Structure formats: structure tokens, C-alpha cells
Amino acid sequence: MLDPDEKTITEAVLQTLVDTPDSRIRTVLSALVQHLHDFVLDVDLTEAEWAYAIEFLTRTGQKSDDKRQEFILLSDVLGVTMLVDTVNHRRSTGTTENSVQGPFYREVRPEFADGADISNGLPGTPLLFHATVVDTTGAPVPGAEFDVWHADSHGHYDSDVPGLDAAAMRGLFRTGPDGTVTIRSIAPAPYPIPDDGPVGELMHATGRPVMRPGHIHVRIAAPGFSTVTTMLFRDDDPYLTNDPVFGTKRSLLYRRDLREGRDRPYDLVEHTFVLDRLH
Ligand code: BEZ
Ligand code: FE
């Protein structure tokens, strides 16, 4: 087109997309262009602001590698991860709700027998986690892969524990014939999301807190069921209502239950996970 101006350029760009053979690509790209143009007009974007945005996104890519994914973190703090999750998992009522996976899940993780201690000797309040996995009728789901991973009592995942060069506080279990699994570990503490990159810059510029409430990540996979990736939070955690990645849900809270142990007290966490059948 000749002489594009602010009233005609959006339609001109949209016209270039009308012959896109894949209709889904056409739909998504057209909406993206429309929203981007509306955004520029809405805020009267300056050239300096656009240059800053491009430089910010460039640094977000540069900060990412096979261990750190700054774009996912950006998606998390902007609420996009949880929104995409909600749109894609309109699950049956009463089934366990998803939460963010976060950057600390590892496909290479040790496998454990029921009742094993995964703390690798790290200090902290002992944790006894007793989980039951059922379907929507309440029948147990035996043989489900039950992944668990969490931070230590200082808020460090194993890769960040000073001097530790092995897996800890993570492992793969399998539910028994009654759908249960028992895991011994140490109670997790709250911790900050990684804030030494562009996402941290965004958080600090907007005065947002970076602390996540303490939590225990869980991923449950079983044939015939939709895999659930979620986490449990203590209901008295001071950071519960300001989670920087919007991952907290009422159905994922547990009440602190400090029990008298043989030598010292331990935290008991009991939770029933309800899996949704694949439709
Ligand atoms: C986490 O829970 O490990 C986490 C989730 C999202 C962003 C950063 C950390
Ligand atoms: Fe986490």
C-alpha cells in the first residue's frame, strides 16, 4: 500500500495475512497484529519505549539457556502461563487443579520406593507427605507416576544448595494398589523467583514482591488420565496472597499439622489428588 497512516496501516497488514493457508496461523497472527497495533495507539508508544522493549526482549533471550528460561519466567509473572493453563484445561469439577511447573522440574530424577526419604540428609523440619490418587468416582488410581520436587528449609532447590552435587528433594514414586504414596523429606521454605535478569528488573520497577510461598511441586501421570502438574501450599504462609506467578489456589492449600515424632516434631501433609479421565 502507498501512504499508510495510523488509520489505515492496521488493515493493510491484516490484508497481507488473508491468504495464509493454515487457518489457525491466520487467526493467531491477525489477532496479534490487531492487538499490537491497538496497544501502540492506546499508549501512544514513544520510539524510546519501543526501542527499550526490543532491548528488554533481546536480553530476555540472552539470559535463557538450557538451565534458565527467562521467557517462561516473563510469561509466569505476567500471568500468561496460568491463563494459557486455564484456557487449555477446563477440567471436570472436583478434579485437582493445575499450577505452574516452574523452572526446577528435571526429567532426569531418581526413582524411589514407597516411603523413601528424598532429603538426601539436608537439615530441616522432617516432612511426612501422604498422598492418595483417585479418579472422579473416588476409586484409587494404582501405578500412577508421582513426581515430587521442592525447595529446602532455606528456599534452595538442590541445584542451588551450596556444596551439594546430587539430586535432593526430588524423585519419582509410583502409587500402590490403594492409590497412595508416602514420601519423607524436609519442609520447604518460601523463596524468591530468579530476579537477577530482565524479569527481576520488571518486578523491581513495578514494586512487585518476588517471594513465592513455600510449596511442594507434584506431577501425576497415569494412562487414561490427564496429567496434572500442580503444587501444595501451607495455608498460613505469609506470601500466599501475593504469589508473583499467580500459582496459588484455595484447593491446593494444606493446614500445618506439626506432630510429635519419636525424636522430634515433624510436619504431616495429607492430600487427595483427583485425576480427570482423558475425554
Ligand atoms: C517455582 O515454583 O519453582 C517457580 C515457578 C515459576 C517461576 C519461578 C519459580
Ligand atoms: Fe517451586
Side-chain angles (χ1 to χ4, degrees):
M1 99 179 285
L2 298 178
D3 304 325
D5 63 22
E6 67 181 79
K7 292 216 165 43
T8 56
I9 191 165
T10 305
E11 192 47 40
V13 179
L14 292 175
Q15 274 303 318
T16 67
L17 300 173
V18 294
D19 293 330
T20 306
D22 185 310
S23 69
R24 183 64 185 161
I25 295 179
R26 184 170 67 243
T27 302
V28 172
L29 261 186
S30 302
L32 182 67
V33 166
Q34 183 75 58
H35 286 288
L36 264 178
H37 283 222
D38 286 348
F39 162 71
V40 171
L41 294 170
D42 271 2
V43 300
D44 257 329
L45 200 70
T46 68
E47 286 175 323
E49 287 162 347
W50 187 231
Y52 179 82
I54 288 171
E55 189 250 346
F56 178 90
L57 291 173
T58 303
R59 284 191 288 118
T60 300
Q62 287 163 344
K63 194 77 187 168
S64 304
D65 55 26
D66 55 349
K67 293 223 165 56
R68 168 98 176 239
Q69 232 303 347
E70 194 77 357
F71 271 111
I72 296 182
L73 192 59
L74 183 59
S75 158
D76 293 343
V77 301
L78 294 180
V80 180
T81 306
M82 285 307 291
L83 184 58
V84 172
D85 177 79
T86 314
V87 167
N88 282 274
H89 298 277
R90 298 203 166 102
R91 59 177 48 75
S92 315
T93 26
T95 57
T96 296
E97 295 187 279
N98 275 10
S99 189
V100 287
Q101 175 169 296
F104 298 107
Y105 174 71
R106 301 283 177 265
E107 266 170 35
V108 179
R109 71 281 200 213
E111 288 190 33
F112 289 101
D114 194 37
D117 184 340
I118 62 171
S119 69
N120 207 348
L122 291 172
T125 304
L127 178 83
L128 183 64
F129 180 21
H130 190 65
T132 305
V133 181
V134 299
D135 67 14
T136 45
T137 71
V141 179
E145 283 189 0
F146 193 99
D147 257 299
V148 61
W149 69 105
H150 65 84
D152 70 4
S153 51
H154 301 288
H156 292 135
Y157 281 83
D158 51 7
S159 50
D160 295 330
V161 174
L164 181 72
D165 195 18
M169 303 159 299
R170 69 174 69 247
L172 174 62
F173 290 75
R174 255 172 215 287
T175 54
D178 59 354
T180 69
V181 65
T182 298
I183 297 159
R184 291 183 165 76
S185 192
I186 49 173
Y191 63 84
I193 60 166
D195 66 344
D196 58 342
V199 172
E201 188 178 307
L202 183 154
M203 299 302 279
H204 297 306
T206 51
R208 286 177 56 183
V210 293
M211 290 298 285
R212 293 214 67 208
H215 54 271
I216 305 167
H217 291 272
V218 169
R219 181 178 180 277
I220 309 170
F225 293 94
S226 173
T227 296
V228 63
T229 302
T230 190
M231 61 184 87
L232 300 180
F233 306 88
R234 243 173 80 168
D235 69 354
D236 60 348
D237 194 295
Y239 300 104
L240 210 51
T241 48
N242 284 319
D243 184 11
V245 301
F246 307 96
T248 51
K249 295 178 177 177
R250 277 179 222 282
S251 68
L252 302 176
L253 306 184
Y254 63 87
R255 187 167 295 274
R256 183 162 199 215
D257 188 358
L258 193 65
R259 299 278 175 111
E260 268 320 309
R262 244 194 328 240
D263 325 316
R264 59 197 182 117
Y266 67 94
D267 268 341
L268 175 66
V269 177
E270 291 180 300
H271 193 84
T272 298
F273 296 86
V274 184
L275 298 190
D276 207 3
R277 280 200 188 276
L278 284 172
H279 303 293

